[in-house]
Every structure is written in C-alpha cells, then in structure tokens.
Amino acid sequence: MKIIHAKNYNDLSRKAANIISAQVIMKQNCVLGLATGSTPVGIYRQLIDWYNKGDLDFTNVVSINLDEYVGLPVNSPQSYHYFMHDTFFNHININPENIHLLDGMNPDAVYECRRYDQMINENGGIDLQLLGIGLDGHIGFNEPGAAFDLETHCVRLTESTIEANKRFFKKQEDVPRLAYTMGIKSIMQARKILLVVNGENKADILRKAFLGPVTPEVPASILQLHNSVTLVADEAALHTLL
Ligand code: F6R
C-alpha cells in the first residue's frame, strides 16, 4: 500500500483528485468507481474546478457508484443518485449514458444486484475505485461480518452507520434501514483502489484496518490483500498508523 500524507482536508482533496485526474488523462475511457459521503466532496469540487479550467474531459469516462439506499427516489436529496448529480455529475461533461447507479426503488433486490454485476462486467471492470471508510470499518455498505466473496447485494445497515448517516436526514428514523451495495468481491476486483480518510475520529478504525488481522469484522481490512491500494489521509487520521 502507498500512503500519501495530507496536511489537512484541502490538501487531501487535491492529492486524491490528482490521482483520479491522472487516471482520466491516461485512459480517457476509464471506468471510475465512485463513492458518496462527506470525505469525497472536496475531491469532486477540485475535479470540477480542473474541468472548468479545461484540464479534464469526462466525455468518455464511465462512472459506477458503490451503493444506494433502498426506498429513496432519485429526486430525494438524501439518495446517492441525487448526491452524485448535485455534487459532481451536473457540473462536468460526463455522458449521462455512462453514469451508473444502483436503483434503490427497484424492489427486486436479486434482479437489481445481478443487473449491476452484469453492467460492471460489460464495462470491463473498474479501473480506479474511490473508497471512504466507515467508523465501523465498512467500505461501500459492507458492514462488519459481511462475507468477503459477495458481489452486489442488499444489506441491513448497522446502528453505527445509521447513527453516522443521520446527519443527512431530518431525524434518525428517516435513515433507510436497507441498502444495495457492491460487495467486497466486486471492490477487490477493481484494478486500483484509492482510499481517502480524514479526521481524528477515523484514526482508530484506520489502524485496525491496516495493522490488525484481515477479518470480516473489519471489512476494510481486506484491502491489505489488494495489490494496488493508495491511501490518502490527513495527519489526524494517520497518527496511529505510523
Ligand atoms: C459511500 C460509502 C461509505 C462511505 C463511508 C465514509 O458511498 O460507500 O462507505 O465512504 O461511510 O463516509 P464519510 O466520508 O461520510 O465519512
């Protein structure tokens, strides 16, 4: 694993955006695996800035998002569909046909998840997968205990994740209890992984993920077995790892 130290959140955002930008420049029709959450917001902002300056072209880029809540319509501001368009896609020249998100309104979980796996395969797999990490060690919505050999599937969110994500909703009861997520197997098949971690509150789980045993109890620990992981993290998140 390559560790890139960032001084602070802005520095982290720029360094991680640089890695994504290099990928897009080197392979114009690359497949980017994208994540939501607070951590990537600065990255998307930086990429938009470079796009506006004419330094980046997303015409042929394919995007595949990691996960989506079950039961939220695409126009719900809390859906990941809405988040990705509002935060990123609406501000760049990506072709709408190249944007792939799970359909959280499809009640047929088996069909929806198989459709997604097939779509990933048809696109030739993911070149660069952007990931954040949850306080409980989740990646995507693969919560502690998730089997390592799963592709896209439906999950029940843990109390820790519901608690962490309630900040995006009016009240905790509004946080959906189910989500569709790419599985650990799908994530591990990405050719490169870019993990971004920010803040003191992630220091403990980051240490467990990279210095502890590889175990489903800490889903991110599987990344120890991936041969191309770049971690970009700020000092506060990194201090217990080094
Ligand atoms: C988001 C996702 C989650 C987040 C994680 C960290 O698509 O899959 O695994 O990456 O919960 O979220 P933040 O960045 O908000 O701390």
Side-chain angles (χ1 to χ4, degrees):
M1 178 179 58
K2 230 176 263 154
I3 302 181
I4 299 183
H5 300 230
K7 289 194 275 292
N8 50 41
Y9 181 69
N10 278 345
D11 193 34
L12 174 151
S13 301
R14 236 156 31 95
K15 287 185 158 82
N18 256 309
I19 293 169
I20 296 175
S21 163
Q23 173 67 75
V24 171
I25 290 168
M26 298 300 285
K27 185 177 175 188
Q28 290 174 8
N29 61 347
C30 66
V31 179
L32 297 179
L34 296 179
T36 62
S38 303
T39 318
V41 171
I43 301 174
Y44 295 140
R45 209 178 291 137
Q46 180 64 77
L47 291 172
I48 292 167
D49 188 41
W50 287 331
Y51 163 71
N52 285 331
K53 289 185 172 134
D55 293 338
L56 277 178
D57 178 10
F58 292 91
T59 312
N60 296 313
V61 168
V62 173
S63 77
I64 298 180
N65 259 82
L66 266 176
D67 44 14
E68 179 60 283
Y69 289 117
V70 170
L72 293 187
V74 295
N75 59 356
S76 158
Q78 285 81 27
S79 76
Y80 287 172
H81 185 284
Y82 186 99
F83 174 96
M84 286 308 300
H85 284 79
D86 190 49
T87 314
F88 192 37
F89 299 144
N90 290 349
H91 310 282
I92 57 170
N93 67 338
I94 191 165
N95 178 348
E97 282 176 11
N98 290 346
I99 297 173
H100 300 283
L101 286 132
L102 280 148
D103 176 5
M105 291 304 282
N106 187 345
D108 187 340
V110 174
Y111 173 87
E112 180 57 16
C113 295
R114 290 298 70 80
R115 174 191 77 79
Y116 214 63
D117 290 337
Q118 206 178 324
M119 178 279 297
I120 296 172
N121 286 333
E122 280 164 6
N123 279 287
I126 293 170
D127 289 302
L128 177 65
Q129 175 66 56
L130 175 63
L131 290 179
I133 185 172
L135 289 170
D136 60 2
H138 71 224
I139 46 177
F141 270 133
N142 295 283
E143 301 282 24
F148 284 157
D149 60 354
L150 287 178
E151 297 184 284
T152 310
H153 61 291
C154 184
V155 288
R156 183 163 291 280
L157 303 187
T158 59
E159 283 311 313
S160 153
T161 299
I162 292 169
E163 176 68 27
N165 289 8
K166 72 175 185 202
R167 67 191 193 278
F168 298 112
F169 293 80
K170 277 208 190 91
K171 41 187 194 324
Q172 181 152 342
E173 300 85 85
D174 295 342
V175 184
R177 270 34 187 182
L178 297 177
Y180 294 146
T181 184
M182 276 167 49
I184 300 276
K185 183 175 173 188
S186 335
I187 292 172
M188 289 296 281
Q189 281 169 347
R191 289 182 267 284
K192 281 172 278 180
I193 294 202
L194 171 59
L195 174 66
V196 288
V197 187
N198 180 60
E200 169 65 35
N201 65 339
K202 296 279 177 74
D204 189 42
I205 194 64
L206 192 57
R207 186 181 48 75
K208 283 196 185 120
F210 288 100
L211 297 182
V214 175
T215 163
E217 290 319 307
V218 182
S221 65
I222 191 74
L223 298 177
Q224 293 181 36
L225 304 183
H226 194 285
N227 65 10
S228 180
V229 175
T230 303
L231 166 67
V232 184
D234 72 341
E235 301 284 352
L238 272 179
H239 78 94
T240 57
L241 194 63
L242 304 170

